[in-house]
Amino acid sequence: LDILVVDGINPFSTGWVLPAGLLREPVSALAEADVIVLNKVNLARSPEDIRTVLARHNPRAYIVESFYKPLLLRDFQSGKEVKASLLDRASVGAFSGVANPLSFIRTLAEMKVLIRHAYTLKDHYPYTKEKLKGILEDAKLRGLQYLVTTQKDEVKLPHDMDLTIPILVLDIKWEVTGGKSQWETVLKNISLTSTTT
């Protein structure tokens, strides 16, 4: 089963694969997919245009639409929920090592968390105590009162540090908004296959 994910914010990049562009496979790979997931559809400029391109390259594939739904903010050290409204008048920064940091900032904006400064690190960034300390020191100089990061980054952060600024983690949920019945069929087929082998 070939499942191909397309980023709704920047679906076809420059048309080039890594390292010349952002695509992990050429656009021609769309023709081989059984399922195409149009992710971050809520942030796409023109989902209709993207659907048209996908259908032109592969009219037989299921097209499933999805997005990341923000759930809550959580304190990195205590694990306790922090209400987004607490940040209304605070100076907030963000840091992330994800492929599309803009979608992270936009997701925070959906929660009415406005980011004053963002630290954008390369995807899958390997955090060290020194790097995190550098971010915290710079944030302090900028007058930031909180830093927010992603769940993906959280697992790579050193836990045995004294934080000069609280770090919050944005918890999200992946949600299917279009093609739900097709997605359920895919999951059912995967489940059937895994139980018979």
Side-chain angles (χ1 to χ4, degrees), residues 5 11 25-26 28 30 36-37 43 48 63 66 72 79 86 88 99 103 106 108 120 141 157 166 172 179 190 195-196:
V5 180
E25 292 185 279
S28 60
L30 289 168
I36 300 172
V37 177
L43 302 175
E48 302 78 23
I63 296 179
S66 63
L72 57 90
L86 178 73
D88 281 351
S103 69
R106 286 182 176 178
L108 288 168
T120 303
L141 288 172
L157 296 179
I172 58 172
I190 291 171
T195 56
T196 57

Side-chain angles (χ1 to χ4, degrees), residues 58-101:
N58 188 337
R60 68 169 180 78
Y62 288 152
I63 296 179
V64 176
E65 296 180 3
S66 63
F67 76 107
Y68 296 119
K69 178 181 180 180
L71 295 178
L72 57 90
L73 291 167
R74 183 173 37 81
D75 185 274
F76 169 66
Q77 288 187 312
S78 71
K80 293 180 180 171
E81 181 178 354
V82 175
K83 298 288 183 194
S85 59
L86 178 73
L87 307 179
D88 281 351
R89 292 184 178 82
S91 184
V92 182
F95 67 95
S96 63
V98 294
N100 192 337

Side-chain angles (χ1 to χ4, degrees), residues 2-195:
D2 188 348
I3 301 175
L4 192 144
V5 180
V6 175
D7 184 333
I9 296 175
N10 190 9
F12 310 111
S13 178
T14 57
W16 295 92
V17 296
L18 293 166
L22 297 176
L23 298 181
R24 296 178 187 205
E25 292 185 279
V27 175
S28 60
L30 289 168
E32 300 164 21
D34 300 304
V35 180
I36 300 172
V37 177
L38 176 54
N39 198 24
K40 303 176 198 163
V41 70
N42 59 321
L43 302 175
R45 275 192 216 133
S46 178
E48 302 78 23
D49 291 345
I50 299 170
R51 278 187 223 107
T52 300
V53 172
L54 297 177
R56 187 179 327 124
H57 283 277
N58 188 337
R60 68 169 180 78
Y62 288 152
I63 296 179
V64 176
E65 296 180 3
S66 63
F67 76 107
Y68 296 119
K69 178 181 180 180
L71 295 178
L72 57 90
L73 291 167
R74 183 173 37 81
D75 185 274
F76 169 66
Q77 288 187 312
S78 71
K80 293 180 180 171
E81 181 178 354
V82 175
K83 298 288 183 194
S85 59
L86 178 73
L87 307 179
D88 281 351
R89 292 184 178 82
S91 184
V92 182
F95 67 95
S96 63
V98 294
N100 192 337
L102 180 59
S103 69
F104 171 49
I105 302 301
R106 286 182 176 178
T107 303
L108 288 168
E110 284 179 40
M111 295 183 79
K112 309 234 183 315
V113 176
L114 300 179
I115 299 303
R116 186 167 155 209
H117 183 76
Y119 300 89
T120 303
L121 308 162
K122 63 184 180 185
D123 198 12
H124 304 288
Y125 188 80
Y127 290 93
T128 62
K129 284 186 180 182
E130 293 75 30
K131 182 60 183 179
L132 186 56
K133 186 177 177 189
I135 291 171
L136 289 164
E137 286 173 358
D138 186 75
K140 195 102 171 150
L141 288 172
R142 292 176 186 275
L144 301 177
Q145 297 163 283
Y146 293 91
L147 285 170
V148 185
T149 195
T150 69
Q151 288 174 289
K152 179 180 173 184
D153 291 284
E154 175 193 22
V155 298
K156 299 175 196 163
L157 296 179
H159 283 263
D160 55 342
M161 280 186 67
D162 290 326
L163 300 181
T164 52
I165 297 173
I167 294 176
L168 307 179
V169 179
L170 174 65
D171 285 352
I172 58 172
K173 176 184 176 189
W174 185 73
E175 196 163 291
V176 174
T177 58
K180 285 185 181 184
S181 62
Q182 289 91 338
W183 185 246
E184 287 169 11
T185 300
V186 169
L187 294 178
K188 195 179 295 177
N189 287 338
I190 291 171
S191 176
L192 288 172
T193 305
S194 64
T195 56

